[in-house]
Amino acid sequence: LTRLARYNNSATPDWDVTTDIDPNFSEINLMEQEGNNLYLAGFGRYDLSTDTTSDFILLKYDLGGNRQFAIEFKSTDSSTDPTSDKDGVVVKMGKSPSGDLYLAGMSLYDSSPDEWQKIFVAKLLYNSTGDGDIIYEIPLNGSTKNKLTDLAFDISGDLYLTGQIEGSFEGASTDALDAFVLKLNSSGTKQWSQLVGDASDNYNHGFLEKRGDDDSTDDHRLIDNFYLLTSRPGSYPTLTKHNLTAGNVDATRDFNTINSDYGSYYEIDSSDDIYLIGRDLSADIRLEKVDQNLSYQWDKTIGDPAQPEIPKAVLSDEMDNLLIIGETMGSVDGNTNKGGWDIFMIKYDRQGNKL
């Protein structure tokens, strides 16, 4: 059975409860709302003694570990009811500006030789005692590459989902593996959908957000536009800027000196300038800055030309100074290698000057 525990600062449990839920979740999401309640979401059987099939499940607990309610969300389409699915996952939870709680996830039906997947969006009303329902469903062509990546809201409470799809999506065919964005209003009515990609597989890394934002709380907000970061195996990452009106691409930036196979990391400062780091074609680390319209500002190459480096993070502080973290087999910025892979950190100001 799935267990939920709360620990204090001394790593001693304040309480420990056992939920009557099938522990065979693909993933469990835990979210604290307004400091008063805990929400546990996943995919499985709510009652092991009576349920023979699985659905989306949401449990609500107070901070004392007392369960307030449990909900099962069932499909509105009997032909593709998730109760027949073999597995599933609640990928994201998020709270709208009005306080309503949304769950977005995927279910998997193994119909050999193809895998069939479906996206679900469920809504729980603010201060609900257990009333909630699936408000939107998206049947997909079977593919193990299909993925739901992120969830966000705008200031009006409209919901945005993004991920990657192979085959077709909302009536449109993909070129290969494409990124998608879907906009729903607060009632679950579709506003628009967009595909982003080309003839190559495009892996979607989600909405870019300012450091400190958290897409599991009410801090994750899209104001006038949004950015998507995608990458292609054996190629480079691409950043696209989209408007909220129809999701159209307003600007594109190809970081074609970065090898996307080694990961890329971003940061957004207080002026909405964007910093991206990755491994360049010479196996050094490249840091590049673009403004909010994705226009080039400056770049830096970091590392030992004779040895490889791997990027790990780019962070900013309240003064918009940047901290670059990576690993190296060589000597970086006058610091001698200690043997094997070393971790290094370098700090720059927002103009690219080393501090």
Side-chain angles (χ1 to χ4, degrees), residues 28-161:
I28 295 175
N29 279 254
L30 183 65
M31 172 178 154
E32 182 175 348
Q33 183 180 26
E34 297 177 347
N36 298 317
N37 301 293
L38 296 170
Y39 293 90
L40 181 67
F43 194 88
R45 289 182 289 162
Y46 163 63
D47 189 334
L48 294 177
S49 63
T50 60
D51 289 347
T52 59
T53 55
S54 297
D55 284 297
F56 284 110
I57 297 172
L58 177 67
L59 297 179
K60 179 181 178 180
Y61 290 87
D62 64 21
L63 295 187
N66 303 301
R67 195 172 78 178
Q68 306 299 296
F69 61 71
I71 309 174
E72 288 182 280
F73 297 95
K74 293 183 179 293
S75 172
T76 58
D77 181 357
S78 60
S79 66
T80 55
D81 194 312
T83 57
S84 64
D85 295 347
K86 301 291 282 293
D87 204 353
V89 56
V90 175
V91 179
K92 290 290 181 181
M93 286 193 288
K95 190 175 67 173
S96 71
S98 61
D100 297 331
L101 184 65
Y102 290 78
L103 290 75
M106 302 189 74
S107 63
L108 172 67
Y109 180 70
D110 186 6
S111 179
S112 181
D114 295 323
E115 288 180 295
W116 169 86
Q117 296 186 2
K118 190 172 187 179
I119 292 176
F120 296 87
V121 181
K123 178 181 179 180
L124 178 71
L125 296 178
Y126 178 62
N127 280 337
S128 172
T129 58
D131 296 323
D133 202 359
I134 289 177
I135 60 173
Y136 202 80
E137 300 173 295
I138 310 168
L140 310 171
N141 289 0
S143 172
T144 57
K145 296 179 181 179
N146 290 346
K147 184 180 180 181
L148 179 64
T149 307
D150 213 347
L151 174 154
F153 302 91
D154 62 24
I155 57 177
S156 299
D158 292 333
L159 174 69
Y160 299 77
L161 297 176

Side-chain angles (χ1 to χ4, degrees), residues 60-294:
K60 179 181 178 180
Y61 290 87
D62 64 21
L63 295 187
N66 303 301
R67 195 172 78 178
Q68 306 299 296
F69 61 71
I71 309 174
E72 288 182 280
F73 297 95
K74 293 183 179 293
S75 172
T76 58
D77 181 357
S78 60
S79 66
T80 55
D81 194 312
T83 57
S84 64
D85 295 347
K86 301 291 282 293
D87 204 353
V89 56
V90 175
V91 179
K92 290 290 181 181
M93 286 193 288
K95 190 175 67 173
S96 71
S98 61
D100 297 331
L101 184 65
Y102 290 78
L103 290 75
M106 302 189 74
S107 63
L108 172 67
Y109 180 70
D110 186 6
S111 179
S112 181
D114 295 323
E115 288 180 295
W116 169 86
Q117 296 186 2
K118 190 172 187 179
I119 292 176
F120 296 87
V121 181
K123 178 181 179 180
L124 178 71
L125 296 178
Y126 178 62
N127 280 337
S128 172
T129 58
D131 296 323
D133 202 359
I134 289 177
I135 60 173
Y136 202 80
E137 300 173 295
I138 310 168
L140 310 171
N141 289 0
S143 172
T144 57
K145 296 179 181 179
N146 290 346
K147 184 180 180 181
L148 179 64
T149 307
D150 213 347
L151 174 154
F153 302 91
D154 62 24
I155 57 177
S156 299
D158 292 333
L159 174 69
Y160 299 77
L161 297 176
T162 189
Q164 59 195 41
I165 293 294
E166 187 175 52
S168 63
F169 179 73
E170 293 290 277
S173 297
T174 63
D175 295 315
L177 181 69
D178 286 352
F180 75 85
V181 183
L182 172 69
K183 179 180 179 179
L184 306 175
N185 67 15
S186 59
S187 300
T189 302
K190 176 184 172 181
Q191 306 300 292
W192 50 257
S193 62
Q194 288 284 353
L195 291 172
V196 180
D198 52 25
S200 302
D201 282 351
N202 292 264
Y203 289 86
N204 186 351
H205 302 285
F207 297 119
L208 267 65
E209 56 189 284
K210 287 188 177 181
R211 191 71 56 185
D213 286 356
D214 182 351
D215 55 354
S216 67
T217 71
D218 59 349
D219 293 329
H220 194 31
R221 293 286 177 264
L222 306 177
I223 306 301
D224 300 315
N225 52 67
F226 62 88
Y227 299 91
L228 280 183
L229 180 63
T230 58
S231 63
R232 306 165 187 81
S235 187
Y236 50 81
T238 294
L239 192 58
T240 50
K241 178 182 179 180
H242 304 251
N243 61 61
L244 300 186
T245 304
N248 296 323
V249 176
D250 290 336
T252 300
R253 178 73 183 177
D254 292 327
F255 295 87
N256 51 21
T257 60
I258 292 178
N259 186 342
S260 61
D261 289 348
Y262 292 90
S264 51
Y265 305 88
Y266 74 88
E267 178 64 297
I268 304 178
D269 67 18
S270 61
S271 300
D272 291 334
D273 291 332
I274 302 170
Y275 304 85
L276 191 88
I277 65 165
R279 192 179 190 184
D280 67 16
L281 303 181
S282 300
D284 291 325
I285 290 178
R286 181 180 175 89
L287 167 65
E288 187 166 334
K289 177 182 179 179
V290 296
D291 65 17
Q292 57 185 295
N293 295 315
L294 306 188

